[in-house]
Amino acid sequence: MAYQIPLFNLNFDECEAKAAYDTIRSGWISTGSKCAELEELFAKMLGAKYAVSVTNCTDALHLCCMLCGFGPGDEVICPSLTFAASANCIRYVGATPVFADIVGPEHINIDPADIEKKITSKTKGVVVVHMAGYPAKMDEIMEIAKKHNLKVVEDACHGPLSEYKGKKLGTIGDCSAFSFFSNKNISTGEGGMFVTNSEELAAKAKLLRSHGMTTMSYQRASGHATEYDIVELGYNFRLDDIRASIAIEQLKKLPGDLEKRISVRKRYLENLSNVKGLIIPFEDCKEFTSNYIMPVILTEGNKERRNAIREKIHEAGIQTSVHYPAIHKFSIYKDYGVVLPQTEYVTEHEITLPMYAALTMEQVDFICDTVKKIIKEI
Ligand SMILES: *Cc1c(COP(=O)(O)O)cnc(C)c1O
């Protein structure tokens, strides 16, 4: 069924098509000058020192875990209310994810108090996720990290240009990961970025992204190098210039896109703020944020009621989603036997409403009227 109002839509026009076409016509389509240009723009946009383009955010997170030195026998604390990649990356390097709870329905990011409770002599780091583009409690988290000598990885997939006390998300911890998957704020189909202020980590990320090779094909093709050595056990995590050229167009649109999302969010709040039976996470947040998604949380009933409400909203032509099915409940994690009361409440009561720049105020009003009517009925 095609929804009258989808959850998300691409902010694409002729610019992306032309950029991809021009790159294809240029004769160089794999990692080259477009990736380099994108990396420079991205780092500048965040006020970070280094950005290294990669195939997707999952690979960027994998790089973060390798570069933070996580390995077998180590524990790394992360949330469960996130996409599976935020925890899986810890296992790629042989370390063990230790799930911490979120603060609660008003603040659905990792709880610093629960991080502190879960620290053991084996804890080496924390993977922080900024849900919906709203900042996690970074002051407290960085303080805990300093006290216990932990590395901090930011999964900033939801938050390009989002801020926390004057800093851009993804520039506060040791390193961070961004996604250019098609439903993210910046879309290239697949794509991602590793970001850090450390020269050493950036240099290592570049090596590991391309087989641990000392030179790239682009440098050899352009006559700047003739030989290479393999100095690390690397991977192929390279982005290509076709996607990089699309990302460059998306970056140009990002500030305008986010301004429109702010108006959409404002309209949602005007409609839903004082509605009985609904909590809007981060309602009081005053930071500039990316508004990647629009989550709301039901205060009554159970998972079945939530699902029935979603079903009715879908029947009205509005697509919704759930962010997220909790990771610790998935088959490959349930043997960990973790109990996370706040995460479990939110995963069973959350509904993600449509959020994108092109939503009209009339559409937002229609969505809100529909939701208000349905939660009264069910
Ligand atoms: C989308 C997403 C990822 C994975 O990004 P890919 O680019 O698809 O690998 C990881 N973490 C979070 C929080 C995400 O939303």
Side-chain angles (χ1 to χ4, degrees), residues 146-159:
K146 203 167 145 200
K147 190 165 131 200
H148 297 273
N149 197 22
L150 310 177
K151 300 282 187 194
V152 176
V153 173
E154 291 180 80
D155 178 339
C157 275
H158 297 187

Side-chain angles (χ1 to χ4, degrees), residues 55-61 81-87 129-131 155-158 177-184 189-193 292 323-324:
T55 329
N56 52 59
C57 170
T58 305
D59 291 339
L61 286 168
L81 194 79
T82 174
F83 185 60
S86 319
V129 180
H130 304 290
M131 273 287 285
D155 178 339
C157 275
H158 297 187
F178 289 84
S179 174
F180 307 151
F181 182 64
S182 46
N183 67 8
K184 299 298 202 291
E190 298 282 356
M193 195 66 81
Y292 167 55
H323 288 84
Y324 282 93

Side-chain angles (χ1 to χ4, degrees), residues 64-287:
C64 288
C65 290
M66 283 191 277
L67 296 173
C68 284
F70 305 153
D74 296 341
E75 293 177 354
V76 179
I77 298 170
C78 66
S80 169
L81 194 79
T82 174
F83 185 60
S86 319
N88 288 348
C89 61
I90 297 165
R91 293 177 63 179
Y92 295 159
V93 297
T96 304
V98 173
F99 294 107
D101 211 348
I102 54 168
V103 176
E106 286 88 5
H107 182 99
I108 57 177
N109 283 325
I110 196 164
D111 181 3
D114 205 37
I115 294 178
E116 200 135 35
K117 270 190 215 146
K118 298 212 159 133
I119 292 174
T120 70
S121 58
K122 293 178 181 166
T123 310
K124 290 288 154 58
V126 184
V127 174
V128 176
V129 180
H130 304 290
M131 273 287 285
Y134 286 83
K137 295 182 180 292
M138 292 309 287
D139 279 352
E140 290 91 328
I141 293 167
M142 296 310 289
E143 190 63 40
I144 293 167
K146 203 167 145 200
K147 190 165 131 200
H148 297 273
N149 197 22
L150 310 177
K151 300 282 187 194
V152 176
V153 173
E154 291 180 80
D155 178 339
C157 275
H158 297 187
L161 286 182
S162 280
E163 292 180 2
Y164 178 77
K165 301 187 179 176
K167 284 186 187 152
K168 297 276 191 288
L169 299 188
T171 66
I172 303 167
D174 292 276
C175 50
S176 67
F178 289 84
S179 174
F180 307 151
F181 182 64
S182 46
N183 67 8
K184 299 298 202 291
N185 293 84
I186 303 163
S187 314
T188 64
E190 298 282 356
M193 195 66 81
F194 168 88
V195 171
T196 184
N197 283 318
S198 155
E199 186 179 356
E200 187 195 340
L201 294 194
K204 275 196 186 157
K206 281 196 171 169
L207 265 181
L208 291 172
R209 147 178 94 168
S210 192
H211 311 286
M213 287 166 81
T214 48
T215 66
M216 300 267 283
S217 346
Y218 184 70
Q219 291 165 290
R220 294 192 300 281
S222 53
H224 295 305
T226 49
E227 289 187 4
Y228 65 82
D229 189 14
I230 303 276
V231 294
E232 296 259 5
L233 182 65
Y235 296 81
N236 179 356
F237 287 166
R238 296 183 306 257
L239 188 70
D240 58 85
D241 267 16
I242 301 174
R243 287 184 177 83
S245 62
I246 296 172
I248 290 167
E249 295 307 313
Q250 288 274 287
L251 285 197
K252 291 181 198 160
K253 287 180 181 171
L254 187 63
D257 186 280
L258 298 192
E259 282 305 328
K260 289 196 183 128
R261 283 171 185 258
I262 287 170
S263 317
V264 172
R265 164 90 175 178
K266 189 161 165 274
R267 191 73 164 208
Y268 267 121
L269 292 187
E270 284 163 11
N271 273 294
L272 299 178
S273 263
N274 294 310
V275 171
K276 199 170 158 287
L278 273 188
I279 290 173
I280 302 166
F282 308 112
E283 187 171 352
D284 296 332
C285 180
K286 298 280 181 286
E287 300 279 6

